[in-house]
Amino acid sequence: MEVLKLDNFTKGWVVGDFDPSIIRTKEFEVCVKHYEAGDAEDAHVHKIAKEITIINEGVYEMNGTRLEKGDIVVLEPGESAWFKCIEGGSNTVIKMPSVIGDKYPV
């Protein structure tokens, strides 16, 4: 058994075509991110990857829609999104495929 710390990975990204990663693969990426109230990400788009966000804990707003524990958001390539944390928590993000640099500001 190996025990690792999420803090040792870049912004919570643990699987994908980057270093460090637990599994290095071009097939997909996985991250677990923790947020505090007020944390936000500016609008961006992925031209290649599909992105799935699973809300684990907390309350968020994405593209004007309120999201809470148990909600799942699926963004297709080319679909833009912005994000704001209302009440601290965490989410899990899965992107397919893993393409370095596939994040463009809108």
Side-chain angles (χ1 to χ4, degrees):
M1 177 172 86
E2 181 178 13
V3 177
L4 304 168
K5 296 288 187 188
L6 189 59
D7 288 343
N8 293 334
F9 295 88
T10 305
K11 297 181 180 180
W13 291 97
V14 296
V15 174
D17 190 23
F18 43 76
D19 187 40
S21 64
I22 297 170
I23 299 171
R24 185 136 192 192
T25 178
K26 293 177 187 264
E27 299 298 316
F28 62 97
E29 299 176 359
V30 177
C31 92
V32 177
K33 289 193 174 189
H34 295 274
Y35 292 95
E36 300 293 329
D39 288 348
E41 287 194 30
D42 292 334
H44 67 278
V45 66
H46 301 287
K47 294 181 179 179
I48 299 168
K50 180 176 193 168
E51 183 175 85
I52 301 165
T53 300
I54 303 165
I55 306 301
N56 302 325
E57 296 291 337
V59 178
Y60 307 85
E61 186 176 354
M62 184 182 285
N63 292 352
T65 299
R66 184 181 174 94
L67 303 170
E68 300 177 347
K69 180 179 180 177
D71 288 337
I72 300 172
V73 176
V74 179
L75 295 170
E76 298 295 336
E79 208 173 343
S80 71
W82 59 268
F83 177 90
K84 181 177 181 182
C85 179
I86 308 301
E87 293 178 17
S90 70
N91 63 39
T92 301
V93 179
I94 304 159
K95 284 176 45 189
M96 303 169 295
S98 180
V99 179
I100 296 171
D102 184 36
K103 184 174 182 178
Y104 303 89
V106 176

